[in-house]
Amino acid sequence: MDRLFRILLGLCVMLAAAQASNVTVSTLDTTVNNSTCGTSRACFSDPVSCNPATDRSCLFVSTKSNGSSNLNFELRGESQGYIAVALSTDMNAGGNDKTYICANINSTVLFVFALLNNNTLTTQSDVSSIANVSGSINQTTIQCVFNVFGLNATSRANAATTFSIVLANGTVYANGSLSNPTVRTVTAQLDLSNVNSTNTATTTPSTNSTNASNVTTTTTTTTTTTASGANISLQHGLSQAVLILLGILAIGMM
Ligand SMILES: *[C@@H]1O[C@H](CO)[C@@H](O)[C@H](O)[C@H]1NC(C)=O
Ligand SMILES: *[C@@H]1O[C@H](CO)[C@@H](O)[C@H](O)[C@H]1NC(C)=O
Ligand SMILES: *[C@@H]1O[C@H](CO)[C@@H](O)[C@H](O)[C@H]1NC(C)=O
Ligand SMILES: *[C@@H]1O[C@H](CO)[C@@H](O)[C@H](O)[C@H]1NC(C)=O
Ligand SMILES: *[C@@H]1O[C@H](CO)[C@@H](O)[C@H](O)[C@H]1NC(C)=O
Ligand SMILES: *[C@@H]1O[C@H](CO)[C@@H](O)[C@H](O)[C@H]1NC(C)=O
Ligand SMILES: *[C@@H]1O[C@H](CO)[C@@H](O)[C@H](O)[C@H]1NC(C)=O
Ligand SMILES: *[C@@H]1O[C@H](CO)[C@@H](O)[C@H](O)[C@H]1NC(C)=O
Ligand SMILES: *[C@@H]1O[C@H](CO)[C@@H](O)[C@H](O)[C@H]1NC(C)=O
Ligand SMILES: *[C@@H]1O[C@H](CO)[C@@H](O)[C@H](O)[C@H]1NC(C)=O
Ligand SMILES: *[C@@H]1O[C@H](CO)[C@@H](O)[C@H](O)[C@H]1NC(C)=O
Ligand SMILES: *[C@@H]1O[C@H](CO)[C@@H](O)[C@H](O)[C@H]1NC(C)=O
């Protein structure tokens, strides 16, 4: 009985380790700006048409398609905590919107993928749709650049890359968890792969409680494993290694 319990405990610990998301964030050396808006990138911001490189009030995201349903994102803004871009298939923030979060964890970039529902973020461990994440923190200036694969707005009428852009920010608590987001703007539904798409007016943010309550609630250690300055992916690797070790020990103690 005791033996069985230890094996089960060990397996659970290892499973938790395996599920921990590990988005590797490399260092971003460039300054996200609006110079190619309308020519090679579609840009969305609050306030409208601002330049995040020069305007500290500017919360900005730009997108570029490589010709398929994959998009490259450049996100920049000022926050003590985190900035985020969510993709909505209606014009409401919420309803399982895919949300990409760029957070300042004691001056280290943490990248989190979550679903936004009823103004609540649920961290997702499956980050296979995301790649090439880089980011930087300079005091309160936060930047993340990343690729998202296989987007599908699942609307027959529109392109697979047609979404409302939701720009938001929020607080990172001392234990590394994230506050609910403060929505700064929600754009009209626009094809993010079209360089001419942009928000021409700041829409009044409306968060919507939804009927979609069957969210995959996989909690991960991403938002809690933090330490001073070190590489975040290394920390995740280490925390997973520790968990796996614990699992093996628990089984070994039979
Ligand atoms: C962690 O990253 C490595 C390398 O990109 C990948 O092979 C592995 O599947 C990832 N693990 C998880 C749990 O996402
Ligand atoms: C603006 O961004 C472009 C890429 O989008 C980059 O090539 C350029 O160096 C940036 N400009 C500044 C001033 O950082
Ligand atoms: C960049 O932002 C500045 C300041 O808001 C604006 O004047 C300029 O038109 C923008 N450039 C592009 C290409 O959007
Ligand atoms: C777009 O990028 C993805 C991922 O790098 C790649 O698999 C795909 O072939 C690219 N598509 C085009 C049209 O370049
Ligand atoms: C989020 O943005 C609002 C509006 O600009 C600002 O008042 C607030 O301080 C920001 N919150 C964080 C945590 O950055
Ligand atoms: C949304 O959140 C509010 C406040 O936490 C709660 O009262 C409400 O029941 C939630 N609605 C749904 C559909 O989960
Ligand atoms: C950080 O921001 C300050 C101004 O806020 C700027 O002078 C400095 O060059 C920035 N550092 C980097 C590495 O971009
Ligand atoms: C998006 O999903 C719909 C419905 O599931 C499907 O018919 C369509 O082929 C998908 N489009 C892309 C680009 O994957
Ligand atoms: C940031 O550092 C402070 C002081 O070292 C610590 O108390 C806090 O928990 C850290 N925050 C996170 C999210 O790790
Ligand atoms: C974007 O707008 C320009 C000028 O109106 C137009 O020439 C171009 O065809 C448009 N591009 C797309 C992809 O719609
Ligand atoms: C929330 O979404 C539902 C269904 O999409 C819609 O009928 C309702 O008007 C929305 N509520 C708000 C406050 O936007
Ligand atoms: C969640 O989904 C299951 C089956 O997929 C269903 O039986 C259940 O009623 C759903 N729960 C809610 C709250 O929608």
Side-chain angles (χ1 to χ4, degrees):
M1 201 59 179
D2 196 31
R3 233 173 111 125
L4 188 63
F5 174 75
R6 287 211 175 100
I7 291 176
L8 283 176
L9 179 71
L11 288 177
C12 286
V13 170
M14 284 196 281
L15 195 63
Q19 282 192 342
S21 97
N22 62 350
V23 183
T24 304
V25 182
S26 57
T27 304
L28 179 66
D29 293 321
T30 56
T31 300
V32 171
N33 65 72
N34 74 346
S35 65
T36 57
C37 294
T39 51
S40 66
R41 305 188 67 90
C43 299
F44 313 91
S45 62
D46 175 48
V48 296
S49 303
C50 59
N51 183 358
T54 54
D55 179 0
R56 291 179 69 83
S57 70
C58 183
L59 180 54
F60 175 93
V61 69
S62 70
T63 55
K64 182 182 168 71
S65 164
N66 74 351
S68 54
S69 55
N70 309 319
L71 290 176
N72 171 259
F73 287 80
E74 293 188 355
L75 178 65
R76 176 171 163 133
E78 298 289 327
S79 178
Q80 304 270 6
Y82 70 84
I83 57 174
V85 57
L87 304 180
S88 171
T89 50
D90 49 28
M91 275 190 60
N92 296 300
N96 279 340
D97 298 344
K98 292 184 169 71
T99 306
Y100 307 92
I101 300 156
C102 189
N104 177 351
I105 305 279
N106 280 339
S107 298
T108 301
V109 181
L110 176 67
F111 189 88
V112 179
F113 177 44
L115 294 179
L116 177 62
N117 244 315
N118 197 15
N119 205 37
T120 303
L121 295 166
T122 305
T123 307
Q124 301 298 295
S125 58
D126 183 356
V127 292
S128 56
S129 61
I130 301 160
N132 297 49
V133 182
S134 60
S136 70
I137 307 274
N138 179 359
Q139 301 190 358
T140 57
T141 306
I142 304 177
Q143 300 192 122
C144 276
V145 170
F146 54 95
N147 293 336
V148 175
F149 303 119
L151 286 169
N152 191 347
T154 60
S155 160
R156 272 168 302 168
N158 297 320
T161 46
T162 296
F163 293 96
S164 295
I165 288 270
V166 178
L167 285 167
N169 67 358
T171 302
V172 176
Y173 298 120
N175 69 0
S177 64
L178 308 177
S179 74
N180 286 347
T182 301
V183 174
R184 293 262 304 261
T185 195
V186 182
T187 72
Q189 285 191 261
L190 297 161
D191 183 358
L192 309 186
S193 70
N194 184 334
V195 297
N196 289 334
S197 293
T198 186
N199 60 322
T200 51
T202 299
T203 317
T204 311
S206 79
T207 48
N208 200 351
S209 56
T210 58
N211 38 16
S213 49
N214 258 338
V215 189
T216 336
T217 50
T218 40
T219 43
T220 77
T221 55
T222 4
T223 51
T224 51
T225 53
T226 53
S228 55
N231 181 301
I232 202 81
S233 65
L234 176 64
Q235 288 160 29
H236 289 166
L238 278 178
S239 67
Q240 286 180 29
V242 168
L243 280 170
I244 289 168
L245 198 63
L246 282 173
I248 292 168
L249 280 177
I251 291 179
M253 272 160 38
M254 295 181 295

